[in-house]
């Protein structure tokens, strides 16, 4: 079977490299961080993702997965590097560009180069341009380029990766065909052919669709607060209509995808993407609305003691990155509160941004319920859903996820 080089061993690159290795390919994983490379080569993982550890161990011990800080010659190259945005919300393609220029010396005629990173429209064409700038000797030779965006849900990556349908868009028909053939070796979901620009836009569209729909729910929650209506009951009732399916309001939108990708569309079409931009603004503003509610409660309470339930960006995971709940806890900790109790069943210690604050303590749910008189529910973790509601008696409860309703 062929050789594959996967660039970037993060949340997408590592599971992808592992899946391909466990399907019989020889895979060279490349990551610039030496610690990541050493960890993977020991058959261990540096990220938290259910089921991934055993999967990586199997791939490494079979000899099919080996990591290095440098790329390796291969038949197929997969780019799975971050695509964040800059201060002004402009896409930052510097990781894609540097990874592309780094693999260029290893590329041979007939190779297939696949971009998996979520990217603005036109990026796959740029990858082709960057390779040919580095390798003028390959101009006019057969090289294949395609975009195949990842679509897995953090927390369910190992489960979803082989089964999800994939969108595959090449820069030409031959590139699309070769990429479909390649993914057919390890993906059982449907492989849907299109062109590179449509594939890029499809991924951005999926996450923007979710963002706009969450913004709708978040805006409803703000309107309902003003009108004295229970938004959770409202949504439950409205969703009984056969063609209505409103998502759930929350303290804001976290993670590294949904809060980022819509900006790539806004950047490409700033005058046209009006709804998509406003949705982002509504969701980004939600943590501030939650903070205002907490401050109202603090002002109305003698000796206020606030307990934050949850820091993760969504339920039952330990991922605190880009989490609106963490953002809220950090702001509260920086304020004038004497004591902020934090309950996060999925971590053993506070993140650095809270650990150095004298007024913050990571406590058990029981201790928080004992001590706090203001309870701020931020994440619908299973432990909180199962909690005895009687413990909330006499406390001011701010429930951003509607689990106590
Ligand atoms: N959220 C709400 N209300 C909801 C649903 C979600 O407030 O009704 C919040 C969550 O609490 C979280 C944020 O939105 O803070 C995002 O969570 P998520 O579960 O919607 O999505 P992610 O970021 O974990 O993964 C998304 C997925 N995309 C879609 O569902 C369209 C996943 O399939 C993508 O692969 C992933 O982004 C990605 O990597 O792009």
């Amino acid at each position: 079977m062929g050789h594959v080089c996967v660039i970037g061993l993060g949340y997408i690159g590592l599971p992808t490299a592992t899946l391909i290795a466990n399907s019989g390919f020889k895979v060279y994983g490349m990551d610039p961080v030496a610690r990541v490379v050493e960890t993977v080569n020991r058959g261990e993982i540096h990220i938290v993702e259910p089921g991934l550890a055993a999967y990586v161990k199997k791939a490494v011990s079979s000899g099919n997965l080996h990591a290095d800080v440098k790329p390796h010659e291969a038949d197929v190259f997969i780019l799975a590097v971050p695509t964040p945005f800059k201060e002004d919300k402009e896409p930052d393609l510097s990781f894609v560009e540097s990874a592309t220029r780094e693999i260029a010396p290893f590329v041979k005629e007939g190779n297939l180069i696949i971009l998996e990173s979520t990217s603005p429209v036109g990026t796959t064409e740029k990858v082709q341009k960057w390779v040919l700038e580095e390798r003028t000797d390959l101009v006019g030779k057969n090289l294949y380029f395609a975009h195949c965006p990842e679509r897995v849900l953090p927390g369910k990556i190992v489960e979803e990766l082989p089964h999800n349908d994939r969108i595959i868009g090449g820069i030409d028909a031959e590139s699309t065909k070769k990429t479909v053939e390649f993914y057919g070796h390890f993906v059982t979901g449907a492989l849907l052919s299109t062109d590179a620009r449509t594939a890029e836009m499809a991924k951005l569209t999926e996450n923007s669709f979710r963002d706009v729909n969450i913004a709708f729910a978040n805006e409803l929650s703000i309107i309902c607060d003003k009108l004295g209506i229970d938004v959770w009951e409202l949504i439950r009732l409205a969703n009984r209509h056969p063609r209505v399916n409103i998502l759930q309001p929350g303290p804001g939108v976290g993670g590294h995808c949904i809060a980022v990708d819509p900006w790539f569309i806004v950047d490409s079409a700033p005058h046209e993407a009006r709804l998509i931009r406003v949705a982002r603004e509504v969701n980004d503003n939600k943590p501030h609305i939650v903070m205002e509610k907490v401050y109202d409660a603090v002002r109305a309470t003698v000796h206020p003691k606030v307990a934050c339930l949850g820091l993760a960006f969504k339920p039952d995971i330990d991922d605190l990155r880009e989490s609106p709940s963490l953002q809220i806890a950090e702001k509260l900790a920086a304020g004038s509160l004497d004591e902020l109790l934090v309950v996060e069943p999925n971590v053993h210690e506070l993140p650095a941004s809270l650990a150095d604050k004298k007024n913050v303590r990571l406590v058990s749910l029981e201790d928080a319920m004992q001590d706090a008189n203001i309870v701020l529910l931020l994440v619908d973790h299973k432990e909180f859903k199962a909690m005895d509601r009687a413990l909330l008696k006499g406390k001011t409860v701010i429930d951003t996820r509607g689990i106590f309703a």
Side-chain angles (χ1 to χ4, degrees), residues 6-10 29-38 46 67-71 80-82 95 98-99 102:
V6 178
I7 320 299
L9 295 177
M30 188 245 139
D31 198 284
V33 181
R35 186 183 52 84
V36 170
V37 166
E38 286 154 19
H46 61 290
D68 201 340
V69 289
K70 288 267 162 262
V81 295
F95 296 104
S98 58
E102 208 170 338

Side-chain angles (χ1 to χ4, degrees), residues 134-309:
E134 296 292 322
R135 293 292 303 277
T136 45
D137 58 311
L138 288 173
V139 174
K141 300 269 165 60
N142 285 336
L143 274 187
Y144 307 98
F145 296 86
H147 184 51
C148 179
E150 62 79 14
R151 303 159 102 190
V152 282
L153 197 69
K156 286 196 175 167
I157 294 181
V158 174
E159 191 184 316
E160 287 198 1
L161 202 56
H163 304 301
N164 282 3
D165 293 349
R166 300 297 291 254
I167 297 174
I168 293 175
I171 53 158
D172 50 34
E174 197 54 26
S175 297
T176 308
K177 192 168 152 252
K178 285 199 180 298
T179 312
V180 168
E181 263 163 35
F182 174 61
Y183 278 81
H185 291 293
F186 49 88
V187 169
T188 55
L191 302 171
L192 311 162
S193 300
T194 180
D195 56 76
R197 294 174 75 86
T198 309
E200 288 158 347
M201 188 62 183
K203 169 66 197 234
L204 303 180
T205 300
E206 291 161 13
N207 280 352
S208 298
F209 171 86
R210 199 148 167 89
D211 198 45
V212 169
N213 281 280
I214 298 170
F216 182 72
N218 277 336
E219 186 163 293
L220 277 181
S221 75
I222 298 163
I223 296 169
C224 284
D225 274 353
K226 181 171 176 179
L227 302 183
I229 292 168
D230 177 347
V231 70
W232 314 102
E233 184 192 1
L234 174 84
I235 291 176
R236 249 191 326 271
L237 294 173
N239 281 350
R240 295 294 291 269
H241 184 286
R243 285 171 297 282
V244 173
N245 187 11
I246 304 167
L247 292 179
Q248 298 302 303
V253 169
H256 352 279
C257 308
I258 295 191
V260 175
D261 301 353
W263 288 118
F264 293 0
I265 299 182
V266 174
D267 184 70
S268 301
H271 298 296
E272 296 77 7
R274 295 190 299 167
L275 181 62
I276 294 172
R277 178 202 299 270
V278 171
R280 265 300 55 246
E281 287 165 357
V282 168
N283 286 334
D284 271 354
N285 192 44
K286 193 69 203 289
H288 304 290
I289 306 246
V290 174
M291 300 275 303
E292 277 168 27
K293 278 194 180 183
V294 179
Y295 285 132
D296 283 348
V298 165
R299 278 190 291 269
T301 309
V302 190
H303 304 306
K305 227 181 208 191
V306 180
C308 283
L309 305 193

